[in-house]
Amino acid sequence: MRYRGFEAPEPPGSAELLDEVRAAEAGARAGDRAPLEPRGRSEEELLARFEEVVDADEKIEPRDWMPADYRRALVRQMSQHAHSEVVGMQPEGNWLTRAPSLARKSILLAKVQDEAGHGLYLYSAVETLGVDRESLFRALHEGRQKYLSFINYPTPTWADVGALAWLTDGAAIVNQVPLCRSSYGPYARAMVRVCKEESFHHRQGFDALWALTRGSAAQRRMAQEAVDRWWGPALAMFGPPHAQSTHSERSMRWRIKRHTNDELRQRFVDVCVPQAEALGVTLPDPALRWNAERGHHDFTPPDFEELRRVVAGDGPCNRQRVAHRRRAHEDGAWVREAAAAYAAKHREEARW
Amino acid sequence: MVSEESQERSQWPLWEVFVRAKRGLGHLHAGSLHAADARMALLHARDLYTRRGEGVSIWVVPSAAVVASSPDERDPFFDPAADKAYRHPGFFELPEGVRHL
Amino acid sequence: MNADARYALRLGDDALVAAQRLIQWCARAPELEEDVALANIAADLLGQARALLALAGEEEGAGRDEDDLAYLREESEFGNALLVELDNGDFAVSTAKALFFSVYQNLLYRALSAVAHPVLAGIAAKAAKETAYHVEHAALWAVRLGDGTDESHRRMQAAVDEVWPYTHELFAPDEVTRAAAFAVDPAGLRPDWARRVEAVLVEATLRRPEDGWAPSGGRAGAHTEAFGYLVGEMQVLHRAHPGVRW
């Protein structure tokens, strides 16, 4: 894999996030405590021990006893994450054939390939809970399971690919780094792998925009207009405010989620401001300013009404994205069948 | 629309992937993937879990072939922090019509 | 352009156009694992293209780099074989193209890795390893599609029949292969190519097509109608902003 190397400096704030990932990996405690075997135990005993393990920041593993709601919440959250990686290949894949230099084409190809891989790591983690991947695809195709809202927006220009990567991968990192300390073992481990690769993606977006903001007037305009389009969807990506978020409370209790939506969104804004300055783009929020008292930036919240509509299926690209996935899956059925048929025919000959 | 029958016919089984990244270390569980047969599983494991690094050893094992011990066992050689891919017996379907699951 | 530059260029064009077609499978592959595999192969081909185009630019000595060559030449200046520019079709057609092309590339690069041109030999040595994997991937799929279901067998046979005529061009020598100092004679690759490909077809329970119609012209810049769309799409953004950096 050859690229000319990033010209832009490392985006401010990324090193700290990566340090957290490494710390999470190193700190994954080899614990002595484990949930109890269910035989002969009451629901209360099992739950009490389960919560002890979680509170001690130790891991729950696939065959452990776990509350049904914990398992349900994990399936939902990990599936949504996996679907997001896979469907997220579309807005970026949109510019693969037209990338304006071979270096950019290579980098973008690597990123899109990584996303497929991340989807696979995450589906793999969901499957440890006994849910078949095929059924997850069905849930996605039928709209019963969701993916991150920003993916339902179009990438009309090359600059959108850079802005999307800079902002949403940046948001994803802020969201995902804490998940490296998720209570569920396979999820935490998948997230460590994902986060390490994700920092490259984020950097790629920053670098692509950097080239534009230091380019021609047309390129600078392209970059600014893309940032104007993507700021809102990126902010909205963290979900509704904590008070309105149906799943948050319990997810946090059980360390499936480590921070509230609002905390994550604030962190994201604080990280983005110096990066936007370095890039030379203006974030489209007149109320954005440093608040010395709070020690954070004040900002205008995203349009939650729009988020609600997009999540409900009425964003600009929802139907297109899901239809694309469904079609790819349906078109591939004869191929998958062929491989399965071949395997069945030759099973006696092979060792497996 | 893919028919139920066709979906069953086209399902690829799940495989667990173990990778030894360097000589001298043991094989570590890296994750899982779907493949129709062992050769395809190896090919895909190379792409997905090693990014085709050279000199790497890969084992693929059908998940159904993995025999798991109970997590409650106390065994001095049993490292509880090691990734265990052991499945819940029997897959179940994501319930239809349940929203936000 | 001198023969050495033109030779490197056509090798690079083969890889570039093949990569561009493969990229079109992104987010459309029959299974996610295949999306990763195909993207990996496309990335290899793109890497080969970049190295070879850069080499061609140096051999030419007129200051053109990989992007000048990829984005600012007209269709008639591309020297790729017609095989790689064919539409992807279904997964069977793409597999047939991949099988025939990757076996050819693997043989070619193995021969080229022994030439007395360190840069070219170096590119070829790396590409020989990569294409060995591409061959394995394509062969595994050709066999599974050929010897899978009735439908996959029908589609794969149709694909092989459709793509076969375009393979002859790969082995046709011309004034470039004769004049370039480090060229490998393509005709010499055909017997090994045929042996390897036929072995796969037999295992796949597929019929080897008769040799007959042998379309060509790609090497001389006479391309298919589909090629116009491929090049147009690839170049449009770059051409819209002359002289800038990305």
Side-chain angles (χ1 to χ4, degrees):
Chain A
M1 242 296 21
R2 206 181 296 109
Y3 17 93
R4 59 154 202 264
F6 292 114
E7 294 192 347
E10 196 169 353
S14 358
E16 289 72 19
L17 285 167
L18 258 183
D19 285 342
E20 268 187 61
V21 175
R22 283 185 210 108
E25 193 176 18
R29 308 244 211 93
D32 228 7
R33 234 172 307 225
L36 301 169
E37 271 285 287
R39 251 167 317 162
R41 308 277 188 183
S42 70
E43 191 82 7
E44 293 78 42
E45 280 180 284
L46 291 169
L47 184 59
R49 169 64 78 86
F50 171 83
E51 291 189 334
E52 244 179 73
V53 173
V54 169
D55 288 345
D57 250 334
E58 289 175 25
K59 298 297 179 212
I60 305 297
E61 296 294 350
R63 275 173 66 102
D64 292 341
W65 181 89
M66 57 185 79
D69 282 347
Y70 176 81
R71 187 162 185 234
R72 241 194 303 274
L74 270 176
V75 168
R76 187 189 57 80
Q77 190 171 317
M78 291 194 289
S79 304
Q80 173 168 286
H81 200 158
H83 294 324
S84 299
E85 293 283 350
V86 170
V87 184
M89 292 165 70
Q90 290 180 40
E92 287 171 315
N94 187 34
W95 280 92
L96 264 176
T97 54
R98 293 174 294 172
S101 75
L102 295 185
R104 291 292 170 203
K105 207 195 230 357
S106 298
I107 294 172
L108 186 56
L109 183 55
K111 179 173 204 278
V112 174
Q113 180 191 334
D114 278 352
E115 279 159 10
H118 293 175
L120 282 168
Y121 298 152
L122 289 159
Y123 285 127
S124 172
V126 184
E127 290 191 285
T128 65
L129 290 171
V131 182
D132 181 49
R133 189 166 93 185
E134 238 350 270
S135 74
L136 297 176
F137 286 161
R138 248 196 311 283
L140 172 67
H141 299 161
E142 292 166 13
R144 288 180 285 117
Q145 276 185 335
K146 307 280 182 196
Y147 49 89
L148 288 167
S149 51
F150 75 86
I151 295 165
N152 292 308
Y153 290 85
T155 49
T157 75
W158 167 253
D160 288 77
V161 171
L164 185 163
W166 170 50
L167 290 171
T168 67
D169 286 334
I173 291 173
V174 165
N175 204 8
Q176 286 166 194
V177 165
L179 293 174
C180 297
R181 289 177 294 122
S182 152
S183 57
Y184 188 56
Y187 194 19
R189 287 184 290 274
M191 289 316 302
V192 166
R193 207 182 263 130
V194 167
C195 283
K196 284 178 172 171
E197 290 176 358
E198 207 81 42
S199 68
F200 155 71
H201 297 176
H202 175 238
R203 185 128 191 217
Q204 180 268 121
F206 187 83
D207 193 72
L209 282 178
W210 180 275
L212 296 177
T213 56
R214 277 146 186 81
S216 67
Q219 286 178 300
R220 288 196 300 275
R221 189 169 49 245
M222 202 198 291
Q224 181 60 59
E225 287 171 3
V227 169
D228 291 343
R229 279 191 288 277
W230 284 95
W231 179 244
L235 271 188
M237 192 175 147
F238 294 94
H242 185 71
Q244 290 170 31
S245 175
T246 26
H247 303 280
S248 282
E249 211 41 70
R250 198 107 75 117
S251 292
M252 291 195 53
R253 170 80 186 81
W254 283 334
R255 311 222 171 158
I256 298 170
K257 197 175 148 73
R258 307 281 326 214
H259 297 284
T260 67
N261 294 349
D262 307 303
E263 283 167 349
L264 292 171
R265 188 168 11 244
Q266 179 67 74
R267 183 164 191 195
F268 170 67
V269 173
D270 292 335
V271 163
C272 273
V273 169
Q275 290 181 359
E277 264 169 49
L279 275 176
V281 293
T282 310
L283 295 175
D285 180 2
L288 187 61
R289 68 176 58 81
W290 176 252
N291 182 322
E293 245 178 75
R294 293 200 304 124
H296 291 289
H297 292 89
D298 291 336
F299 63 97
T300 310
D303 184 345
F304 289 116
E305 220 351 82
E306 181 178 336
L307 174 63
R308 201 198 50 74
R309 279 196 308 272
V310 173
V311 167
D314 287 338
C317 297
N318 299 56
R319 289 161 178 76
Q320 173 194 328
R321 300 277 183 246
V322 173
H324 180 121
R325 265 319 310 158
R326 196 184 317 123
R327 197 166 41 236
H329 196 68
E330 288 170 6
D331 288 351
W334 72 267
V335 177
R336 296 191 300 274
E337 273 171 47
Y342 177 86
K345 275 193 241 184
H346 294 268
R347 218 185 300 285
E348 313 79 55
E349 300 153 29
R351 279 168 308 178
W352 253 102
Chain B
M1 264 312 292
V2 188
S3 67
E4 279 287 335
E5 215 184 276
S6 154
Q7 268 168 85
E8 283 216 7
R9 279 203 304 271
S10 63
Q11 291 238 43
W12 291 351
L14 193 63
W15 301 73
E16 300 303 323
V17 178
F18 300 82
V19 175
R20 186 187 65 208
K22 285 201 255 260
R23 304 186 65 79
L25 304 176
H27 281 77
L28 291 182
H29 181 250
S32 65
L33 51 80
H34 286 268
D37 61 54
R39 286 195 69 194
M40 298 290 321
L42 270 177
L43 207 73
H44 285 140
R46 239 189 297 172
D47 274 328
L48 188 57
Y49 289 109
T50 75
R51 304 303 172 131
R52 285 195 269 131
E54 291 189 19
V56 161
S57 167
I58 306 173
W59 291 349
V60 293
V61 180
S63 306
V66 172
V67 179
S69 68
S70 154
D72 201 31
E73 277 179 25
R74 292 282 174 257
D75 176 339
F77 302 110
F78 197 69
D79 178 2
D83 188 0
K84 300 185 281 289
Y86 316 127
R87 296 278 156 282
H88 280 267
F91 286 135
F92 66 88
E93 283 283 317
L94 210 53
E96 306 261 333
V98 179
R99 304 202 70 84
H100 310 300
L101 195 79
Chain C
M1 209 189 232
N2 62 65
D4 289 342
R6 284 186 67 193
Y7 184 68
L9 195 58
R10 73 164 50 160
L11 261 41
D13 286 345
D14 276 352
L16 179 63
V17 175
Q20 185 75 356
R21 278 296 185 217
L22 256 187
I23 278 166
Q24 290 168 346
W25 275 107
C26 187
R28 291 185 167 84
E31 190 58 273
L32 266 183
E33 284 84 356
E34 260 315 291
D35 252 307
V36 175
L38 292 174
N40 236 338
I41 294 171
D44 287 344
L45 289 169
L46 189 51
Q48 291 166 23
R50 294 179 65 194
L52 290 163
L53 256 47
L55 177 61
E58 272 163 41
E59 293 285 345
E60 183 191 44
R64 290 204 279 183
D65 69 9
E66 64 183 18
D67 286 337
D68 295 323
L69 291 167
Y71 292 94
L72 298 177
R73 277 182 298 152
E74 303 297 319
E75 286 133 61
S76 58
E77 298 172 86
F78 279 80
N80 55 283
L82 299 178
L83 174 67
V84 294
E85 73 195 50
L86 298 177
D87 278 317
N88 279 338
D90 66 7
F91 196 70
V93 172
S94 288
T95 298
K97 286 170 61 189
L99 175 66
F100 300 151
F101 181 58
S102 61
V103 172
Y104 158 76
Q105 271 195 320
N106 182 249
L107 290 166
L108 172 69
Y109 285 134
R110 278 160 59 185
L112 272 176
S113 57
V115 301
H117 183 313
V119 173
L120 183 55
I123 294 170
K126 177 167 188 269
K129 281 199 204 132
E130 291 169 347
T131 52
Y133 174 81
H134 303 174
V135 170
E136 187 182 356
H137 182 266
L140 281 184
W141 272 113
V143 166
R144 278 146 187 74
L145 296 182
D147 190 17
T149 60
D150 288 340
E151 179 179 6
S152 72
H153 179 89
R154 184 180 49 80
R155 286 184 187 242
M156 194 62 204
Q157 185 64 66
V160 165
D161 292 342
E162 182 185 322
V163 177
W164 187 263
Y166 293 90
T167 61
H168 305 294
E169 186 184 18
L170 296 172
F171 307 102
D174 65 1
E175 80 274 11
V176 171
T177 62
R178 281 187 284 268
F182 302 104
V184 164
D185 172 34
L189 300 174
R190 189 152 211 263
D192 281 333
W193 177 90
R195 223 181 340 267
R196 294 175 77 183
V197 162
E198 281 161 27
V200 174
L201 293 179
V202 164
E203 193 185 346
T205 72
L206 295 165
R207 189 186 56 242
R208 176 210 188 284
E210 296 293 327
D211 292 333
W213 179 52
S216 67
R219 296 299 186 207
H223 292 280
T224 60
E225 288 176 353
F227 191 61
Y229 292 92
L230 184 153
V231 170
E233 190 178 328
M234 185 171 73
Q235 296 185 342
V236 64
L237 178 60
H238 183 102
R239 284 179 181 265
H241 299 261
V244 303
R245 301 204 67 201
W246 300 94

